[in-house]
Amino acid sequence: MKVGVVTFPGSLDDVDAQRAVRIGGNEAVALWHGDADLKGVDAVILPGGFSYGDYLRCGAISRFAPVMDKVVEAAGAGMPVLGICNGFQILCESHLLPGALIRNDHRRFVCRDQLLRIENNRTPWTSAYAAGQEIRIVLKNGEGGFVADAETLARIEGEGQVVARYLEVNPNGSLDDIAGVANERGNVVGLMPHPEHAVEELTGSGLDGLGFFTSLVETAFA
């Protein structure tokens, strides 16, 4: 599958995400925030990093990038879209995902290897995992606290839209220990930790993140 990875001004994990896409058995296509089309890709990743807008509210400006008009349109048609960290924030600001991400409750940037539990393996990004599987991947954020009003929180919990949950410690004060959520259809997923940094033994803490990039292949041939 051809997977587009969008670079916003200031993005720093876009190349890592492209590499993870290739290791996962897919073709990586570089997309620019100003692009007016998605170059025929089958899926899109909004990578982590510090894309512009962090000084206002993370993702609040990036959501207005020209490429996001096409991402929103494609997501509505069912295209798989994954937002990692800053990408997760952009998806929430674009209203493709419920809730919002706010400053960590301890007001400090956090960087650690984080244990997660995969709660929903029925998305195009998590089908390579078993439901309930525990994985450890790096987490690094300053505004990673997931919040939603009580009604929204009850709905996403009840509808199985929680994709991953923090274990051992809640690193940022996220409600219900939520680390990742999906939209109602399940094709759009946001994840605060960084699976692209755990896809090869040489540079990562392990291979536990690889499933987010091999799931697309499994989905395509299911």
Side-chain angles (χ1 to χ4, degrees):
M1 297 179 68
K2 296 172 64 175
V3 182
V5 179
V6 180
T7 297
F8 295 89
S11 290
L12 58 82
D13 288 329
D14 46 345
V15 176
D16 302 71
Q18 291 175 23
R19 180 177 175 80
V21 166
R22 291 191 292 271
I23 293 173
N26 296 288
E27 178 185 351
V29 177
L31 298 176
W32 181 238
H33 72 107
D35 285 345
D37 69 82
L38 298 181
K39 300 182 180 178
V41 299
D42 304 297
V44 169
I45 293 176
L46 306 184
F50 296 93
S51 58
Y52 69 102
D54 279 9
Y55 292 103
L56 172 65
R57 191 178 65 233
C58 296
I61 294 177
S62 299
R63 63 163 290 202
F64 294 108
V67 74
M68 287 306 300
D69 290 338
K70 299 301 178 183
V71 170
V72 171
E73 180 180 331
M79 176 181 283
V81 177
L82 173 66
I84 302 169
C85 193
N86 220 161
F88 187 5
Q89 295 158 344
I90 295 169
L91 291 177
C92 289
E93 292 289 341
S94 301
H95 306 296
L96 287 175
L97 289 175
L101 285 307
I102 64 172
R103 183 165 292 279
N104 298 344
D105 59 350
H106 45 72
R107 299 292 188 266
R108 298 186 300 276
F109 187 90
V110 61
C111 182
R112 67 190 313 272
D113 289 336
Q114 178 68 46
L115 187 65
L116 308 172
R117 182 173 60 237
I118 300 297
E119 303 283 28
N120 180 347
N121 68 340
R122 302 180 304 282
T123 82
W125 301 100
T126 55
S127 61
Y129 296 105
Q133 184 174 343
E134 296 183 6
I135 64 173
R136 191 179 296 277
I137 60 179
V138 69
L139 172 141
K140 47 174 185 167
N141 65 71
E143 294 194 18
F146 179 81
V147 295
D149 60 63
E151 180 181 349
T152 300
L153 193 62
R155 186 179 73 250
I156 63 176
E157 289 280 8
E159 297 298 324
Q161 292 176 237
V162 177
V163 170
R165 211 180 299 272
Y166 298 120
L167 297 179
E168 292 181 337
V169 63
N170 184 328
N172 44 37
S174 289
L175 297 180
D176 288 1
D177 300 327
I178 289 173
V181 298
N183 63 347
E184 292 182 0
R185 191 171 184 173
N187 61 304
V188 180
V189 169
L191 185 73
M192 186 47 58
H194 288 257
E196 77 277 18
H197 295 322
V199 296
E200 54 186 347
E201 296 284 2
L202 180 64
T203 57
S205 58
L207 303 177
D208 285 0
L210 188 56
F212 281 91
F213 304 96
T214 61
S215 290
L216 285 175
V217 177
E218 296 192 4
T219 300
F221 293 99

Short mmCIF file of all heavy atoms in Angstrom, two decimals, residues 108-140:
data_model
loop_
_atom_site.label_atom_id
_atom_site.label_comp_id
_atom_site.label_asym_id
_atom_site.label_seq_id
_atom_site.Cartn_x
_atom_site.Cartn_y
_atom_site.Cartn_z
N ARG A 108 5.15 19.18 32.97
CA ARG A 108 6.51 18.94 32.50
C ARG A 108 6.49 18.06 31.26
O ARG A 108 5.58 17.23 31.11
CB ARG A 108 7.36 18.28 33.59
CG ARG A 108 7.55 19.10 34.84
CD ARG A 108 8.53 18.42 35.81
NE ARG A 108 8.07 17.10 36.21
CZ ARG A 108 7.22 16.87 37.19
NH1 ARG A 108 6.71 17.87 37.88
NH2 ARG A 108 6.86 15.63 37.50
N PHE A 109 7.48 18.25 30.42
CA PHE A 109 7.66 17.36 29.27
C PHE A 109 8.08 15.99 29.81
O PHE A 109 8.87 15.89 30.75
CB PHE A 109 8.73 17.91 28.33
CG PHE A 109 8.87 17.15 27.04
CD1 PHE A 109 8.11 17.51 25.94
CD2 PHE A 109 9.76 16.10 26.94
CE1 PHE A 109 8.24 16.81 24.73
CE2 PHE A 109 9.89 15.40 25.74
CZ PHE A 109 9.13 15.75 24.64
N VAL A 110 7.56 14.94 29.20
CA VAL A 110 7.89 13.60 29.64
C VAL A 110 8.41 12.79 28.47
O VAL A 110 7.93 12.91 27.34
CB VAL A 110 6.65 12.90 30.26
CG1 VAL A 110 5.52 12.79 29.24
CG2 VAL A 110 6.99 11.52 30.80
N CYS A 111 9.45 11.98 28.71
CA CYS A 111 10.01 11.09 27.72
C CYS A 111 10.36 9.79 28.43
O CYS A 111 11.18 9.79 29.35
CB CYS A 111 11.25 11.69 27.06
SG CYS A 111 11.97 10.64 25.77
N ARG A 112 9.70 8.70 28.04
CA ARG A 112 9.92 7.43 28.71
C ARG A 112 9.46 6.28 27.82
O ARG A 112 8.70 6.50 26.88
CB ARG A 112 9.15 7.38 30.04
CG ARG A 112 7.64 7.38 29.89
CD ARG A 112 6.92 7.57 31.22
NE ARG A 112 7.41 6.75 32.28
CZ ARG A 112 6.98 5.51 32.53
NH1 ARG A 112 6.03 5.00 31.79
NH2 ARG A 112 7.47 4.81 33.52
N ASP A 113 9.97 5.09 28.10
CA ASP A 113 9.42 3.89 27.48
C ASP A 113 8.14 3.54 28.21
O ASP A 113 8.16 3.29 29.42
CB ASP A 113 10.42 2.74 27.54
CG ASP A 113 11.61 2.96 26.62
OD1 ASP A 113 11.46 3.71 25.64
OD2 ASP A 113 12.69 2.39 26.88
N GLN A 114 7.03 3.51 27.49
CA GLN A 114 5.71 3.42 28.11
C GLN A 114 5.04 2.09 27.79
O GLN A 114 4.99 1.68 26.63
CB GLN A 114 4.82 4.56 27.61
CG GLN A 114 3.42 4.54 28.14
CD GLN A 114 3.34 4.83 29.63
OE1 GLN A 114 3.97 5.77 30.12
NE2 GLN A 114 2.58 4.02 30.36
N LEU A 115 4.54 1.44 28.82
CA LEU A 115 3.77 0.21 28.63
C LEU A 115 2.32 0.57 28.29
O LEU A 115 1.71 1.42 28.94
CB LEU A 115 3.81 -0.65 29.89
CG LEU A 115 3.17 -2.04 29.78
CD1 LEU A 115 3.94 -2.92 28.78
CD2 LEU A 115 3.10 -2.73 31.14
N LEU A 116 1.79 -0.10 27.25
CA LEU A 116 0.42 0.13 26.79
C LEU A 116 -0.32 -1.20 26.70
O LEU A 116 0.29 -2.26 26.56
CB LEU A 116 0.40 0.77 25.40
CG LEU A 116 1.21 2.02 25.13
CD1 LEU A 116 1.18 2.33 23.64
CD2 LEU A 116 0.65 3.19 25.93
N ARG A 117 -1.61 -1.12 26.69
CA ARG A 117 -2.44 -2.29 26.36
C ARG A 117 -3.30 -1.94 25.14
O ARG A 117 -3.97 -0.91 25.12
CB ARG A 117 -3.34 -2.68 27.53
CG ARG A 117 -4.19 -3.93 27.24
CD ARG A 117 -4.95 -4.41 28.46
NE ARG A 117 -5.85 -3.41 28.98
CZ ARG A 117 -5.83 -2.93 30.23
NH1 ARG A 117 -4.95 -3.37 31.09
NH2 ARG A 117 -6.69 -2.00 30.62
N ILE A 118 -3.23 -2.80 24.12
CA ILE A 118 -4.07 -2.60 22.94
C ILE A 118 -5.49 -3.01 23.28
O ILE A 118 -5.77 -4.18 23.57
CB ILE A 118 -3.55 -3.43 21.75
CG1 ILE A 118 -2.11 -3.03 21.40
CG2 ILE A 118 -4.47 -3.25 20.54
CD1 ILE A 118 -1.94 -1.60 20.95
N GLU A 119 -6.40 -2.04 23.28
CA GLU A 119 -7.79 -2.30 23.65
C GLU A 119 -8.66 -2.62 22.44
O GLU A 119 -9.67 -3.31 22.56
CB GLU A 119 -8.38 -1.07 24.36
CG GLU A 119 -7.61 -0.63 25.62
CD GLU A 119 -7.90 -1.52 26.82
OE1 GLU A 119 -8.21 -2.71 26.64
OE2 GLU A 119 -7.82 -1.00 27.95
N ASN A 120 -8.28 -2.09 21.29
CA ASN A 120 -9.09 -2.27 20.08
C ASN A 120 -8.15 -2.68 18.94
O ASN A 120 -7.35 -1.87 18.46
CB ASN A 120 -9.81 -0.96 19.75
CG ASN A 120 -10.68 -1.07 18.51
OD1 ASN A 120 -10.57 -2.03 17.75
ND2 ASN A 120 -11.54 -0.09 18.29
N ASN A 121 -8.26 -3.93 18.50
CA ASN A 121 -7.42 -4.41 17.38
C ASN A 121 -8.25 -4.57 16.12
O ASN A 121 -7.88 -5.32 15.21
CB ASN A 121 -6.73 -5.73 17.75
CG ASN A 121 -7.72 -6.88 17.88
OD1 ASN A 121 -8.92 -6.67 18.05
ND2 ASN A 121 -7.21 -8.10 17.78
N ARG A 122 -9.35 -3.83 16.05
CA ARG A 122 -10.23 -3.92 14.88
C ARG A 122 -10.08 -2.73 13.95
O ARG A 122 -10.94 -2.50 13.10
CB ARG A 122 -11.69 -4.04 15.35
CG ARG A 122 -11.94 -5.24 16.27
CD ARG A 122 -13.40 -5.33 16.70
NE ARG A 122 -13.86 -4.12 17.37
CZ ARG A 122 -13.59 -3.80 18.64
NH1 ARG A 122 -12.85 -4.61 19.38
NH2 ARG A 122 -14.04 -2.67 19.17
N THR A 123 -9.00 -1.99 14.09
CA THR A 123 -8.75 -0.87 13.19
C THR A 123 -7.69 -1.27 12.16
O THR A 123 -6.95 -2.24 12.38
CB THR A 123 -8.26 0.38 13.97
OG1 THR A 123 -6.84 0.25 14.21
CG2 THR A 123 -8.98 0.54 15.29
N PRO A 124 -7.60 -0.53 11.05
CA PRO A 124 -6.56 -0.84 10.05
C PRO A 124 -5.15 -0.66 10.58
O PRO A 124 -4.20 -1.12 9.94
CB PRO A 124 -6.86 0.17 8.93
CG PRO A 124 -8.25 0.63 9.15
CD PRO A 124 -8.47 0.57 10.62
N TRP A 125 -5.00 0.01 11.72
CA TRP A 125 -3.68 0.29 12.27
C TRP A 125 -3.30 -0.64 13.41
O TRP A 125 -2.15 -0.60 13.88
CB TRP A 125 -3.62 1.74 12.75
CG TRP A 125 -3.91 2.73 11.67
CD1 TRP A 125 -5.09 3.38 11.42
CD2 TRP A 125 -3.02 3.16 10.63
NE1 TRP A 125 -4.98 4.19 10.32
CE2 TRP A 125 -3.71 4.09 9.82
CE3 TRP A 125 -1.68 2.87 10.33
CZ2 TRP A 125 -3.13 4.69 8.71
CZ3 TRP A 125 -1.09 3.49 9.22
CH2 TRP A 125 -1.81 4.39 8.43
N THR A 126 -4.23 -1.44 13.90
CA THR A 126 -3.94 -2.28 15.07
C THR A 126 -4.29 -3.75 14.88
O THR A 126 -4.20 -4.52 15.82
CB THR A 126 -4.71 -1.76 16.31
OG1 THR A 126 -6.13 -1.70 16.00
CG2 THR A 126 -4.24 -0.38 16.72
N SER A 127 -4.64 -4.13 13.66
CA SER A 127 -5.09 -5.51 13.44
C SER A 127 -3.97 -6.53 13.61
O SER A 127 -4.25 -7.73 13.77
CB SER A 127 -5.71 -5.64 12.05
OG SER A 127 -4.77 -5.33 11.04
N ALA A 128 -2.71 -6.09 13.59
CA ALA A 128 -1.59 -7.03 13.77
C ALA A 128 -1.42 -7.42 15.23
O ALA A 128 -0.66 -8.36 15.53
CB ALA A 128 -0.30 -6.40 13.23
N TYR A 129 -2.09 -6.72 16.13
CA TYR A 129 -1.98 -7.01 17.56
C TYR A 129 -3.16 -7.87 18.01
O TYR A 129 -4.23 -7.89 17.37
CB TYR A 129 -1.99 -5.72 18.37
CG TYR A 129 -0.81 -4.80 18.12
CD1 TYR A 129 -0.96 -3.65 17.35
CD2 TYR A 129 0.44 -5.10 18.63
CE1 TYR A 129 0.12 -2.80 17.12
CE2 TYR A 129 1.53 -4.26 18.39
CZ TYR A 129 1.36 -3.11 17.64
OH TYR A 129 2.42 -2.28 17.40
N ALA A 130 -2.97 -8.55 19.12
CA ALA A 130 -4.07 -9.26 19.75
C ALA A 130 -4.78 -8.30 20.70
O ALA A 130 -4.15 -7.41 21.29
CB ALA A 130 -3.55 -10.46 20.53
N ALA A 131 -6.07 -8.44 20.83
CA ALA A 131 -6.80 -7.62 21.80
C ALA A 131 -6.26 -7.91 23.20
O ALA A 131 -6.11 -9.07 23.59
CB ALA A 131 -8.29 -7.94 21.73
N GLY A 132 -5.93 -6.86 23.92
CA GLY A 132 -5.37 -7.02 25.25
C GLY A 132 -3.86 -7.19 25.27
O GLY A 132 -3.27 -7.29 26.36
N GLN A 133 -3.21 -7.20 24.11
CA GLN A 133 -1.76 -7.36 24.05
C GLN A 133 -1.07 -6.16 24.69
O GLN A 133 -1.47 -5.02 24.48
CB GLN A 133 -1.30 -7.50 22.60
CG GLN A 133 0.20 -7.77 22.45
CD GLN A 133 0.59 -8.05 20.99
OE1 GLN A 133 -0.27 -8.37 20.16
NE2 GLN A 133 1.87 -7.96 20.70
N GLU A 134 -0.03 -6.42 25.45
CA GLU A 134 0.73 -5.36 26.09
C GLU A 134 1.99 -5.09 25.28
O GLU A 134 2.70 -6.03 24.91
CB GLU A 134 1.06 -5.73 27.54
CG GLU A 134 -0.18 -5.87 28.40
CD GLU A 134 0.14 -6.16 29.87
OE1 GLU A 134 1.34 -6.15 30.22
OE2 GLU A 134 -0.81 -6.38 30.64
N ILE A 135 2.26 -3.83 25.00
CA ILE A 135 3.43 -3.44 24.22
C ILE A 135 4.12 -2.29 24.93
O ILE A 135 3.50 -1.56 25.71
CB ILE A 135 3.07 -3.02 22.78
CG1 ILE A 135 2.18 -1.77 22.78
CG2 ILE A 135 2.36 -4.17 22.05
CD1 ILE A 135 1.92 -1.20 21.39
N ARG A 136 5.41 -2.12 24.64
CA ARG A 136 6.17 -1.02 25.25
C ARG A 136 6.82 -0.20 24.12
O ARG A 136 7.65 -0.72 23.38
CB ARG A 136 7.23 -1.53 26.21
CG ARG A 136 7.86 -0.44 27.06
CD ARG A 136 8.90 -1.01 28.03
NE ARG A 136 8.33 -1.93 29.00
CZ ARG A 136 7.74 -1.54 30.14
NH1 ARG A 136 7.66 -0.26 30.43
NH2 ARG A 136 7.26 -2.44 30.98
N ILE A 137 6.45 1.06 24.02
CA ILE A 137 7.02 1.97 23.03
C ILE A 137 7.29 3.32 23.68
O ILE A 137 6.74 3.63 24.74
CB ILE A 137 6.12 2.14 21.78
CG1 ILE A 137 4.75 2.71 22.15
CG2 ILE A 137 5.95 0.82 21.05
CD1 ILE A 137 3.84 2.92 20.94
N VAL A 138 8.11 4.12 23.03
CA VAL A 138 8.51 5.39 23.62
C VAL A 138 7.35 6.40 23.59
O VAL A 138 6.52 6.38 22.67
CB VAL A 138 9.73 5.97 22.88
CG1 VAL A 138 9.36 6.41 21.47
CG2 VAL A 138 10.32 7.15 23.66
N LEU A 139 7.32 7.25 24.59
CA LEU A 139 6.34 8.33 24.68
C LEU A 139 7.12 9.61 24.96
O LEU A 139 8.05 9.62 25.76
CB LEU A 139 5.34 8.05 25.79
CG LEU A 139 4.35 9.18 26.14
CD1 LEU A 139 2.98 8.61 26.44
CD2 LEU A 139 4.85 9.99 27.34
N LYS A 140 6.78 10.70 24.28
CA LYS A 140 7.47 11.99 24.51
C LYS A 140 6.50 13.11 24.18
O LYS A 140 6.13 13.30 23.04
CB LYS A 140 8.73 12.08 23.64
CG LYS A 140 8.52 11.68 22.18
CD LYS A 140 9.75 11.93 21.32
CE LYS A 140 9.44 11.64 19.86
NZ LYS A 140 10.47 12.13 18.94
#
